[in-house]
């Protein structure tokens, strides 16, 4: 699963529906580049997300009702899959997205997934027990993410966080900064490394450093698009 190979993996024409945070400016241009040689297309709906903190007002941004209402608009485009392209379940808990996907499929009849659930499956795919974590978030959010993964049996060997809370600012983090953050966590030699935020420009970083470091580096924006294509391809 790499930046350059994504658009060569699927041959049939599919419409991929992606629900993204309203402040996300990374996923849409990334999909345009990655799908440029692919007959499949990506279509977007937005959920209002302003900040990432651990207070109740921030949590309320990700209520099931709001997410389902926004995702259902994608049905009007005749999409073949629906994916929640946010990483909120990394700190809210994977159960949040598991319930959301069940509700979405029941409401729409369309195969549904999420970025975080897809990321979680990579532990088994890579036979991994340890990971490195790179995010734009504050330390308390980072701690919550690591705690959630620890409860699932996975150990974070190293982490780097940028310290931001305003979602629209995450896309401004330069690629060279993300690159250094990944290199820093790689020093502990985790089994895999996650760039955990779909509004972080980690796509090219993940491909370059996976080869350079000899450690799989997964960018959540690429994983989101891959999940959408996989679910769409599997739809009967």
């Amino acid at each position: 699963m790499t930046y350059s190979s994504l658009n060569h993996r699927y041959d049939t024409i599919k419409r991929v529906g992606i629900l993204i945070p309203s402040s996300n400016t990374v996923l849409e241009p990334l999909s345009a580049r990655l799908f440029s040689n692919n007959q499949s297309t990506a279509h977007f709906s937005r959920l209002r997300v302003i900040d990432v903190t651990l207070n109740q007002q921030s949590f309320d941004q990700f209520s099931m009702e709001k997410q389902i209402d926004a995702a259902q608009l994608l049905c009007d485009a005749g999409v073949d899959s629906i994916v929640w392209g946010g990483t909120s379940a990394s700190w809210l808990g994977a159960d949040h997205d598991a319930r959301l996907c069940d509700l979405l499929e029941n409401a729409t009849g369309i195969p549904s997934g999420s970025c975080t659930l897809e990321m979680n499956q990579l532990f088994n795919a890579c036979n991994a027990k340890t990971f490195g974590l790179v995010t734009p978030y504050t330390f308390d959010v980072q701690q919550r993410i690591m705690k959630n993964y620890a409860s699932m049996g996975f150990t974070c060997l190293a982490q780097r966080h940028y310290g931001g809370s305003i979602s629209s600012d995450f896309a401004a983090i330069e690629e060279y900064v993300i690159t250094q953050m990944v290199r820093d966590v790689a020093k502990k030699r985790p089994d895999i490394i996650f760039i955990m935020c779909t509004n972080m420009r980690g796509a090219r970083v993940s491909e370059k450093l996976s080869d350079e470091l000899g450690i799989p580096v997964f960018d959540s924006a690429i994983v989101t698009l891959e999940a959408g294509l996989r679910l769409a391809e599997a739809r009967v």
Side-chain angles (χ1 to χ4, degrees), residues 8-224:
H8 300 295
R9 294 189 58 185
Y10 298 91
D11 298 322
T12 57
I13 300 173
K14 294 294 182 179
R15 295 176 182 170
V16 176
I18 309 288
L19 171 63
I20 60 174
S22 58
S23 46
N24 189 300
T25 57
V26 167
L27 263 168
E28 288 157 317
L30 179 64
S31 70
R33 293 196 296 273
L34 295 185
F35 287 12
S36 61
N37 296 324
N38 189 314
Q39 297 183 82
S40 297
T41 53
H43 306 273
F44 292 84
S45 185
R46 306 180 92 84
L47 173 74
R48 187 168 181 79
V49 176
I50 303 301
D51 59 17
V52 174
T53 69
L54 297 184
N55 64 44
Q56 189 60 48
Q57 185 175 357
S58 183
F59 289 172
D60 289 345
Q61 297 174 117
F62 307 103
S63 72
M64 295 286 181
E65 294 79 6
K66 292 177 181 178
Q67 287 182 293
I68 292 169
D69 286 347
Q72 282 183 312
L73 296 176
L74 292 164
C75 297
D76 298 342
V79 297
D80 296 295
S81 64
I82 298 174
V83 176
W84 163 230
T87 55
S88 51
S90 65
W91 64 88
L92 295 177
D95 287 349
H96 181 280
D97 277 9
R99 292 195 302 273
L100 172 65
C101 293
D102 286 344
L103 290 171
L104 279 175
E105 290 195 3
N106 289 334
T108 66
I110 297 172
S112 300
S114 84
C115 172
T116 303
L117 294 181
E118 195 79 5
M119 297 279 274
N120 293 351
Q121 292 180 21
L122 295 171
F123 282 102
N124 288 333
C126 296
N127 194 28
K129 290 297 184 182
T130 64
F131 69 103
L133 182 63
V134 171
T135 82
Y137 308 132
T138 56
F139 184 54
D140 57 345
V141 173
Q142 193 88 333
Q143 285 182 308
R144 181 69 64 89
I145 295 171
M146 292 186 291
K147 181 179 179 181
N148 285 338
Y149 277 109
S151 71
M152 297 164 60
F154 304 116
T155 302
C156 183
L157 292 185
Q159 63 83 25
R160 290 292 183 272
H161 60 285
Y162 193 76
S165 61
I166 304 303
S167 182
S168 59
D169 291 343
F170 300 157
I173 302 172
E174 298 285 354
E175 286 186 6
Y176 78 88
V177 175
I178 302 170
T179 297
Q180 188 58 55
M181 294 168 80
V182 172
R183 285 202 175 112
D184 286 346
V185 302
K187 293 175 183 177
K188 293 292 186 179
R189 304 304 298 175
D191 294 327
I192 56 179
I193 296 173
F194 287 155
I195 301 174
M196 185 71 78
C197 176
T198 59
N199 201 29
M200 208 173 182
R201 292 184 288 135
R204 282 185 286 260
V205 174
S206 67
E207 180 171 54
K208 174 185 176 183
L209 292 188
S210 290
D211 294 336
E212 175 185 314
L213 300 171
I215 300 171
V217 180
F218 295 103
D219 170 65
S220 52
I222 290 181
V223 170
T224 297

